[in-house]
Amino acid sequence: MSKQVAIVTGGAQGIGLGLTRALLNAGYAVAMFDLNGEAMDRLVAEAGAQAQSLMGVKVDVTSAEQVSAAVAQVAARWKTPDLLVNNAGLTRDKRLVNMSEADWDLVLDVNLKSQFLCAKAVVPGMIEQGFGRIVNISSRAWLGGFGQANYSAAKGGVISLTRTLAIELAKHGITANAIAPGAIDTPILAPLSDEQRAKIMATIPVGRIGKPEDIAHAVLMFADAKASYITGQTLYVCGGRSLSSPSA
Ligand SMILES: NC(=O)c1ccc[n+]([C@@H]2O[C@H](COP(=O)([O-])OP(=O)(O)OC[C@H]3O[C@@H](n4cnc5c(N)ncnc54)[C@H](O)[C@@H]3O)[C@@H](O)[C@H]2O)c1
Ligand SMILES: CC(C)C1=CC=C(C(=O)O)[C@@H](O)[C@H]1O
């Protein structure tokens, strides 16, 4: 495989699907790691000439065994990945008093633990090849948000994890950076009413809700081989929305 190889967790939908498409168009071979096997099968079937550069691996990214088997599958079909985008995530918003231990564990596992597991699985190969790019998706909500004790803590953990990866891996030609999106139009926003969407829009100086392509643009910047001096950073992609007040 002469192409660069990327893994996108949660790559079958929303921001992840935007990343999958943008990376394919940028010439990467892309492996989607997602729970939604049907969606990945459909995407590969619809990929036409790009199908040979696209694979879907049905994997729960909170499982160490499944993650290491999935990374081995990618390396066996193509090569050691050059880029890992840790994007899979979900919310279970509830006020603290109503938040169960299961709500806490699920959100921490999918948003944070998965990033540790995927990094641990790809890094040995990246060290061996002397090159790697890791981009971890956090959220502007790491600043704190009503009903988001679990999600905010997980997304703050993503930023801490990223800084540590950057420090540990710098000498191996591997960078690690985080992206903190604001509101991006994906199925994760589906539960919002028109009124709630309008309220969010009013706080965004750019005057629109973000699109998956906005995040893909930032990922491609961090992934560039020329971006070797950019590591440990968190880039807010949120249309200029204030970082001083907690999201409500
Ligand atoms: N959409 C936003 O406004 C927004 C804002 C800030 C941050 N984010 C973050 O961006 C990332 C993507 O969000 P999105 O809006 O595209 O979400 P989404 O719900 O549209 O897509 C998430 C994808 O992750 C997959 N997934 C979930 N749990 C998984 C697991 N255990 N194993 C494998 N795959 C799993 C889902 O199947 C789905 O394809 C998340 O980390 C989210 O927290 C989103
Ligand atoms: C999950 C969703 C409602 C959501 C939208 C916008 C965010 C932001 O950071 O602006 C996130 O907090 C996230 O909760």
Side-chain angles (χ1 to χ4, degrees):
M1 168 61 56
S2 56
K3 289 183 171 212
Q4 287 208 298
V5 171
I7 292 172
V8 181
T9 73
Q13 179 182 297
I15 291 173
L17 177 55
L19 298 176
T20 296
R21 289 190 168 132
L23 289 165
L24 269 178
N25 289 336
Y28 283 81
V30 182
M32 303 170 278
F33 284 9
D34 205 292
L35 284 176
N36 191 341
E38 273 180 30
M40 292 187 292
D41 289 347
R42 187 176 31 80
L43 288 165
V44 174
E46 290 169 0
Q50 289 180 319
Q52 61 185 6
S53 301
L54 180 63
M55 70 190 281
V57 188
K58 189 173 176 185
V59 49
D60 179 347
V61 290
T62 68
S63 157
E65 292 76 23
Q66 290 185 37
V67 164
S68 69
V71 170
Q73 205 178 317
V74 174
R77 171 156 176 199
W78 292 326
K79 63 179 270 299
T80 289
D82 302 284
L83 170 65
L84 166 66
V85 190
N86 275 314
N87 162 77
L90 49 70
T91 53
R92 289 292 180 273
D93 290 5
K94 281 175 195 160
R95 295 172 60 147
L96 184 74
V97 288
N98 297 324
M99 191 175 283
S100 67
E101 190 178 346
D103 294 325
W104 175 271
D105 287 346
L106 176 68
V107 169
L108 269 286
D109 283 356
V110 177
N111 290 282
L112 180 58
K113 181 182 168 190
S114 70
Q115 300 202 358
F116 158 72
L117 294 176
C118 291
K120 198 167 150 59
V122 302
V123 157
M126 287 180 172
I127 289 176
E128 207 176 317
Q129 72 183 2
F131 178 84
R133 296 282 180 264
I134 299 173
V135 183
N136 293 329
I137 304 300
S138 174
S139 168
R140 178 184 167 280
W142 88 271
L143 296 161
F146 190 90
Q148 294 191 313
N150 50 5
Y151 188 70
S152 300
K155 294 303 192 181
V158 166
I159 291 172
S160 307
L161 171 67
T162 304
R163 292 177 63 87
T164 297
L165 293 178
I167 292 163
E168 287 191 11
L169 302 174
K171 64 175 177 290
H172 300 291
I174 302 169
T175 66
N177 291 286
I179 294 172
I184 306 293
D185 211 352
T186 74
I188 215 173
L189 294 189
L192 299 184
S193 65
D194 287 349
E195 197 188 344
Q196 285 169 313
R197 284 177 74 98
K199 218 171 135 190
I200 292 176
M201 286 256 286
T203 67
I204 304 173
V206 163
R208 65 172 174 86
I209 291 194
K211 298 174 286 195
E213 298 91 296
D214 294 312
I215 306 303
H217 196 56
V219 167
L220 284 167
M221 184 273 290
F222 284 132
D224 196 310
K226 292 195 283 291
S228 58
Y229 204 57
I230 305 173
T231 195
Q233 303 306 302
T234 298
L235 180 64
Y236 289 87
V237 182
C238 62
R241 199 172 167 191
S242 165
L243 304 181
S244 61
S245 59
S247 59

PDB file of all heavy atoms in Angstrom, residues 18 34 75 99 121 143 152 156 173 194 210 234:
ATOM      1  N   GLY A  18     -17.865  12.574   7.737  1.00  0.00           N
ATOM      2  CA  GLY A  18     -17.240  13.715   7.039  1.00  0.00           C
ATOM      3  C   GLY A  18     -15.735  13.528   6.950  1.00  0.00           C
ATOM      4  O   GLY A  18     -15.109  13.828   5.925  1.00  0.00           O
ATOM      5  N   ASP A  34     -16.382   1.295  13.689  1.00  0.00           N
ATOM      6  CA  ASP A  34     -17.684   1.751  14.163  1.00  0.00           C
ATOM      7  C   ASP A  34     -18.521   0.552  14.592  1.00  0.00           C
ATOM      8  O   ASP A  34     -18.299  -0.574  14.133  1.00  0.00           O
ATOM      9  CB  ASP A  34     -18.397   2.534  13.042  1.00  0.00           C
ATOM     10  CG  ASP A  34     -19.425   3.529  13.563  1.00  0.00           C
ATOM     11  OD1 ASP A  34     -20.462   3.076  14.114  1.00  0.00           O
ATOM     12  OD2 ASP A  34     -19.192   4.742  13.450  1.00  0.00           O
ATOM     13  N   ALA A  75      -3.561  -3.374   9.485  1.00  0.00           N
ATOM     14  CA  ALA A  75      -2.142  -3.541   9.128  1.00  0.00           C
ATOM     15  C   ALA A  75      -1.965  -4.714   8.164  1.00  0.00           C
ATOM     16  O   ALA A  75      -1.145  -4.644   7.240  1.00  0.00           O
ATOM     17  CB  ALA A  75      -1.313  -3.735  10.393  1.00  0.00           C
ATOM     18  N   MET A  99     -27.869  11.465  37.373  1.00  0.00           N
ATOM     19  CA  MET A  99     -26.909  10.720  36.552  1.00  0.00           C
ATOM     20  C   MET A  99     -26.501   9.431  37.269  1.00  0.00           C
ATOM     21  O   MET A  99     -26.048   9.472  38.418  1.00  0.00           O
ATOM     22  CB  MET A  99     -25.677  11.598  36.283  1.00  0.00           C
ATOM     23  CG  MET A  99     -24.744  11.018  35.237  1.00  0.00           C
ATOM     24  SD  MET A  99     -23.399  12.162  34.863  1.00  0.00           S
ATOM     25  CE  MET A  99     -24.223  13.359  33.815  1.00  0.00           C
ATOM     26  N   ALA A 121      -2.966   0.828  20.759  1.00  0.00           N
ATOM     27  CA  ALA A 121      -2.902  -0.210  19.710  1.00  0.00           C
ATOM     28  C   ALA A 121      -2.119   0.250  18.481  1.00  0.00           C
ATOM     29  O   ALA A 121      -1.477  -0.578  17.825  1.00  0.00           O
ATOM     30  CB  ALA A 121      -4.320  -0.635  19.321  1.00  0.00           C
ATOM     31  N   LEU A 143     -15.309  22.645  28.753  1.00  0.00           N
ATOM     32  CA  LEU A 143     -15.294  23.793  29.657  1.00  0.00           C
ATOM     33  C   LEU A 143     -16.370  23.692  30.736  1.00  0.00           C
ATOM     34  O   LEU A 143     -16.372  24.458  31.691  1.00  0.00           O
ATOM     35  CB  LEU A 143     -15.515  25.088  28.850  1.00  0.00           C
ATOM     36  CG  LEU A 143     -14.406  25.406  27.842  1.00  0.00           C
ATOM     37  CD1 LEU A 143     -14.883  26.391  26.780  1.00  0.00           C
ATOM     38  CD2 LEU A 143     -13.198  25.965  28.579  1.00  0.00           C
ATOM     39  N   SER A 152     -18.371  16.437  29.948  1.00  0.00           N
ATOM     40  CA  SER A 152     -17.333  17.468  30.130  1.00  0.00           C
ATOM     41  C   SER A 152     -16.056  16.848  30.687  1.00  0.00           C
ATOM     42  O   SER A 152     -14.952  17.177  30.236  1.00  0.00           O
ATOM     43  CB  SER A 152     -17.795  18.554  31.107  1.00  0.00           C
ATOM     44  OG  SER A 152     -18.938  19.170  30.645  1.00  0.00           O
ATOM     45  N   GLY A 156     -12.553  16.839  28.784  1.00  0.00           N
ATOM     46  CA  GLY A 156     -11.376  17.434  29.415  1.00  0.00           C
ATOM     47  C   GLY A 156     -10.252  16.418  29.493  1.00  0.00           C
ATOM     48  O   GLY A 156      -9.075  16.732  29.246  1.00  0.00           O
ATOM     49  N   GLY A 173       8.612  11.025  16.041  1.00  0.00           N
ATOM     50  CA  GLY A 173       8.009  11.580  14.825  1.00  0.00           C
ATOM     51  C   GLY A 173       6.488  11.501  14.840  1.00  0.00           C
ATOM     52  O   GLY A 173       5.849  11.560  13.785  1.00  0.00           O
ATOM     53  N   ASP A 194     -36.142  23.275  17.530  1.00  0.00           N
ATOM     54  CA  ASP A 194     -35.781  24.437  16.708  1.00  0.00           C
ATOM     55  C   ASP A 194     -35.388  25.606  17.605  1.00  0.00           C
ATOM     56  O   ASP A 194     -34.469  26.366  17.297  1.00  0.00           O
ATOM     57  CB  ASP A 194     -36.953  24.849  15.808  1.00  0.00           C
ATOM     58  CG  ASP A 194     -37.154  23.858  14.672  1.00  0.00           C
ATOM     59  OD1 ASP A 194     -36.257  22.998  14.478  1.00  0.00           O
ATOM     60  OD2 ASP A 194     -38.204  23.928  13.995  1.00  0.00           O
ATOM     61  N   GLY A 210     -21.897  24.513  12.778  1.00  0.00           N
ATOM     62  CA  GLY A 210     -20.804  23.946  11.991  1.00  0.00           C
ATOM     63  C   GLY A 210     -21.218  22.717  11.184  1.00  0.00           C
ATOM     64  O   GLY A 210     -22.273  22.125  11.418  1.00  0.00           O
ATOM     65  N   THR A 234      -4.747  22.107  21.340  1.00  0.00           N
ATOM     66  CA  THR A 234      -6.195  21.935  21.199  1.00  0.00           C
ATOM     67  C   THR A 234      -6.715  23.078  20.337  1.00  0.00           C
ATOM     68  O   THR A 234      -6.520  24.249  20.674  1.00  0.00           O
ATOM     69  CB  THR A 234      -6.892  21.975  22.571  1.00  0.00           C
ATOM     70  OG1 THR A 234      -6.406  20.899  23.366  1.00  0.00           O
ATOM     71  CG2 THR A 234      -8.408  21.839  22.421  1.00  0.00           C
TER      72      THR A 234
END
